[in-house]
Amino acid sequence: MCVKITLSGFIIGLFAVAGLTVLNGASAAAAPLYVALGDSYSSGVGADVDPAKSQPIANSFDPASGGCQRAYKAYPVLLAQNLGAQLRNVTCAGATTDNILQTGQFGQPAQIEAVTSDALLVTVTIGGNDIDFGGIMGCIASKECDGNSPEAIHTLDVLHNQLYDRVSNVITEIQARAPGARILFGGYPQIYPNEGQSTGTCSAYLSGGEMSG
C-alpha cells in the first residue's frame, strides 16, 4: 500500500483567508506592495515551458533569479499584474521554512527579509520540501512504499510532529514584520493520479467539485 500525503488542506486550513479586499483601499498613485515567498510551486519552475525552444526550462524563468528559477509566468507574477500591485518576489526552488526564516539560498538572504511593514499582501507556498516530498515521491515511483519505508517514516514524522509549528513560525514572523498584510497560503496539487485513473485525464487528479469550480 502506497502512502498518500496531501498538504493542501493542512496549509490552507492553518491560515484561511478569503479575497484580496485589503488591496482595494490602496491609492491608485502608489501600487500596493505584494511580497511573494515560497518554494518552486511559488517560483513557478516549469511554468510556460516551450519545448520548441533550446533549453526550454531556462528560457521560462528570469536568469537573474539563478537557481531560484522564478518563472515569468509564475502565479505571483500573474497575480501582481492582475491586482496592479508592486511585486517583491523572493520565491526560490527547493525552499523550506528554514530558508524563509533563517538561511537563504544561492547567495540570497532569508526570504523573510523581503517582508516590510508596508506590505499589504504576502503569499506563501511552503512545507513540501520540509517533509521531503521529493523523497516520498521517489519512493512511490520506484517501489511499494508503506509505513515502514524510511522515506515514509521521515515524511510522516515531520508532517505530524513538526510542520505545523514550522509553518506557524512563518506566519508569526510575517505578522510581526507586516501587521497590515493579508497573508494567503497556497497548497499543493495532487501529484499522482487517483487509483484506476489514466494519467491523461483531469479526473485522475481532480474531484468533480474541483473541476466544476
Side-chain angles (χ1 to χ4, degrees), residues 132-210:
D132 188 26
F133 65 175
I136 196 68
M137 286 164 55
C139 179
I140 294 170
S142 64
K143 61 183 181 181
E144 189 75 5
C145 280
D146 59 27
N148 295 316
S149 301
E151 298 91 341
I153 291 171
H154 170 72
T155 291
L156 292 172
D157 174 57
V158 178
L159 179 63
H160 293 154
N161 302 316
Q162 302 177 44
L163 190 60
Y164 183 93
D165 288 339
R166 294 186 189 187
V167 176
S168 293
N169 289 339
V170 171
I171 293 172
T172 298
E173 188 61 27
I174 294 172
Q175 290 175 323
R177 290 171 175 262
R182 178 65 57 89
I183 306 171
L184 297 176
F185 270 78
Y188 294 89
Q190 182 170 319
I191 298 171
Y192 288 105
N194 293 316
E195 186 175 358
Q197 294 285 341
S198 169
T199 57
T201 63
C202 290
S203 60
Y205 305 94
L206 302 174
S207 68
E210 288 171 327

Side-chain angles (χ1 to χ4, degrees), residues 8-25:
S8 301
F10 165 76
I11 294 181
I12 293 174
L14 182 64
F15 198 87
V17 291
L20 299 175
T21 54
V22 69
L23 302 181
N24 292 344

Side-chain angles (χ1 to χ4, degrees), residues 66-139:
C68 289
Q69 298 186 28
R70 297 179 191 120
Y72 295 117
K73 290 195 175 180
Y75 81 73
V77 177
L78 301 180
L79 182 58
Q81 292 172 353
N82 183 264
L83 296 173
Q86 172 194 348
L87 175 62
R88 188 178 293 165
N89 186 0
V90 292
T91 58
C92 195
T96 64
T97 51
D98 184 66
N99 295 133
I100 289 182
L101 296 178
Q102 302 291 336
T103 308
Q105 300 162 269
F106 306 105
Q108 300 180 30
Q111 294 183 28
I112 197 66
E113 297 299 325
V115 180
T116 50
S117 60
D118 53 338
L120 291 182
L121 173 65
V122 180
T123 61
V124 192
T125 304
I126 203 68
N129 293 307
D130 286 75
I131 68 166
D132 188 26
F133 65 175
I136 196 68
M137 286 164 55
C139 179

